[in-house]
């Protein structure tokens, strides 16, 4: 069976790893690399995670993957001073986790999917891809845009599921510093400030030089999302001067995440459209976050496998 997966983030790769053992699987992503919101950026000699900062593990299935990646030194643990349970992150940057997961998977990058016509996916490049089953894992508003361009009958139920998933925006600032910070345990959660989180990528061990990531709060990000990026970054940096003195900042970059955390999610871990060959998965389904995206991909893959075995019988 030909299975196409749109999105090489945690959900898409989690599904692909299972399905590729039994079917012809292709993952298509518009990005230059895999990982989606599990993103790491180089700024000169520095490196910063600017999407996901860390993740937790609750389920046995996700724990099995993370234990394997811990033994391969792809993942490390992080004990934040403000939190009791252990968090995890990519030892050499968050994006190394999806990169490792994508080994041996057929991934096509730099390919933006723009339309579904019958059992065919069309890309902006003009390329066409046929599928028997399609799993779409973009943030749900982007899935909605794709479906609006497509010739697919959307039922009232499909529509209500699509409308039920919402995301918070997040503005991220990555600043290169000329000296180390004294942020305890390399990360600090702030309340009632424009900035909700500061990570010291140097202390975290992913940057060879001092470099921090700031995430604006959901409210500040929503209020300032369309504003001037330089002014927004200045406001964010000024609000955390007690941790990052102005004199220590060498340079900075800003990134707007229109979709960061899925604040309102569909209760099941994936969704099968009335058109039975199309599925939606990702962090908008189930428990959310990195682990939710992993479980969503795993569950949709298991469902497709089970259904294909029934057909064979
Ligand atoms: C700023 C920020 C902070 C976060 N912090 C945390 C955290 O601390 N802990 C935590 O657990 N989670 C955190 N998250 C959330 C976490 O990153 C996500 O829940 C998870 O990575 C979602 O994975 P996914 O596969 O569902 O989606 P994504 O990672 O978004 O993957 C979707 C993929 O689809 C691709 N795509 C989109 N449109 C198209 C198209 N038209 N054609 C082809 N490809 C397309 C994208 O390029 C992307 O690679 C954070 C996210 C952000 C942005």
């Amino acid at each position: 069976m030909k299975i196409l997966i749109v999105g090489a983030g945690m959900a898409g790769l989690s599904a692909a790893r299972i399905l590729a053992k039994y079917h012809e699987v292709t993952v298509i992503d518009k990005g230059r690399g895999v990982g989606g919101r599990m993103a790491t950026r180089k700024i000169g000699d520095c490196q910063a995670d600017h999407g996901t900062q860390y993740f937790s593990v609750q389920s046995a299935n996700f724990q099995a993957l993370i234990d394997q990646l811990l033994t391969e030194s792809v993942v490390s643990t992080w004990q934040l001073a403000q939190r009791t349970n252990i968090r995890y992150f990519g030892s050499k940057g968050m994006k190394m986790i999806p990169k490792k997961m994508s080994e041996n998977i057929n991934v096509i990058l730099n390919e933006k999917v723009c339309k579904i016509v019958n059992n065919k996916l069309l890309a902006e490049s003009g390329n066409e891809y046929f599928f028997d089953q399609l799993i779409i894992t973009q943030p749900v508003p982007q899935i909605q845009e794709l479906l609006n361009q497509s010739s697919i009958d959307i039922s009232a139920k499909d529509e209500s599921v699509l409308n039920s998933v919402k995301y918070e925006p997040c503005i991220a600032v990555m600043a290169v510093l000329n000296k180390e910070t004294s942020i305890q345990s390399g990360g600090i959660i702030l309340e009632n400030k424009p900035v909700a989180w500061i990570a010291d990528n140097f202390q975290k061990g992913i940057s060879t030089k001092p470099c921090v990531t700031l995430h604006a709060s959901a409210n500040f990000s929503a209020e300032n999302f369309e504003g001037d990026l330089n002014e927004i970054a200045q406001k964010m940096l000024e609000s955390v001067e007690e941790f990052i003195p102005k004199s220590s900042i060498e340079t900075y970059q800003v990134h707007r995440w229109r979709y960061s955390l899925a604040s309102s999610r569909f209760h099941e871990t994936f969704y099968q459209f009335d058109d039975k060959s199309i599925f939606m998965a990702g962090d908008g389904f189930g428990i959310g976050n990195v682990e939710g995206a992993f479980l969503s991909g795993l569950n949709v893959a298991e469902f497709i496998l089970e259904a294909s075995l029934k057909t064979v019988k």
Side-chain angles (χ1 to χ4, degrees), residues 21-297:
K21 290 182 194 156
Y22 308 93
H23 296 286
E24 188 185 330
V25 174
T26 305
V27 183
I28 302 175
D29 200 291
K30 67 177 180 181
R32 274 185 295 152
V34 299
R37 283 171 274 163
M38 297 180 77
T40 309
R41 183 185 285 197
K42 274 204 184 320
I43 312 173
D45 295 335
C46 297
Q47 205 176 227
D49 285 332
H50 62 300
T52 311
Q53 299 295 295
Y54 55 70
F55 53 85
S56 47
V57 179
Q58 295 166 44
S59 64
N61 280 324
F62 194 41
Q63 189 71 62
L65 170 69
I66 297 310
D67 285 348
Q68 169 74 27
L69 296 178
L70 279 165
T71 59
E72 292 170 354
S73 304
V74 176
V75 164
S76 297
T77 55
W78 194 356
Q79 179 67 68
L80 282 176
Q82 290 162 292
R83 291 286 180 266
T84 45
N85 56 338
I86 297 261
R87 311 282 154 144
Y88 300 86
F89 67 97
S91 317
K92 292 192 175 137
M94 199 55 91
K95 77 171 180 197
M96 297 314 284
I97 298 174
K99 198 162 181 213
K100 182 76 189 172
M101 289 172 73
S102 70
E103 283 176 2
N104 306 318
I105 306 273
N106 179 27
V107 182
I108 298 173
L109 295 170
N110 297 305
E111 186 79 306
K112 185 172 180 185
V113 163
C114 58
K115 201 169 183 173
I116 307 165
V117 180
N118 301 321
N119 276 38
K120 206 165 59 177
L121 205 53
L122 310 186
E124 273 186 356
S125 62
N127 290 336
E128 298 182 351
Y129 302 90
F130 288 88
F131 63 85
D132 298 303
Q133 306 272 282
L134 173 67
I135 306 172
I136 322 176
T137 70
Q138 296 121 289
V140 172
Q142 294 180 335
I143 296 180
Q144 257 167 326
E145 276 171 40
L146 175 64
L147 295 174
N148 289 341
Q149 305 296 320
S150 305
S151 59
I152 292 170
D153 290 331
I154 299 292
S155 69
K157 186 178 169 220
D158 295 342
E159 190 79 51
S160 91
V161 174
L162 284 162
N163 289 333
S164 68
V165 183
K166 308 266 182 256
Y167 299 79
E168 290 174 353
C170 178
I171 299 172
V173 172
M174 289 71 71
V176 174
L177 311 180
N178 58 23
K179 62 174 189 189
E180 292 176 32
T181 76
S182 51
I183 293 170
Q184 206 192 349
S185 71
I188 185 160
I189 299 162
L190 303 169
E191 276 168 23
N192 306 318
K193 285 203 170 238
V195 171
W197 163 255
I198 311 173
D200 181 329
N201 296 294
F202 179 66
Q203 278 193 57
K204 198 176 173 182
I206 70 160
S207 181
T208 51
K209 291 201 169 157
C211 171
V212 287
T213 301
L214 275 52
H215 279 170
S217 69
N219 281 345
F220 182 89
S221 298
E223 281 162 16
N224 294 279
F225 202 73
E226 306 299 342
D228 179 87
L229 280 185
N230 200 35
E231 282 175 20
I232 297 165
Q234 291 289 347
K235 265 195 214 166
M236 287 171 62
L237 288 164
E238 276 164 22
S239 77
V240 293
E241 254 203 282
E242 61 191 289
F243 304 103
I244 304 159
K246 203 172 179 182
S247 58
S248 69
I249 302 168
E250 281 190 356
T251 181
Y252 62 82
Q253 293 185 1
V254 196
H255 184 86
R256 281 191 187 103
W257 292 99
R258 192 172 292 278
Y259 309 109
S260 64
L261 301 174
S263 49
S264 163
R265 299 178 299 277
F266 184 58
H267 60 281
E268 288 176 15
T269 54
F270 64 91
Y271 182 73
Q272 184 175 27
F273 281 93
D274 264 12
D275 177 330
K276 298 287 179 218
S277 60
I278 306 180
F279 296 83
M280 275 193 291
D283 66 339
F285 302 84
I287 64 170
N289 290 345
V290 169
E291 180 166 25
F294 169 83
L295 293 173
S296 176

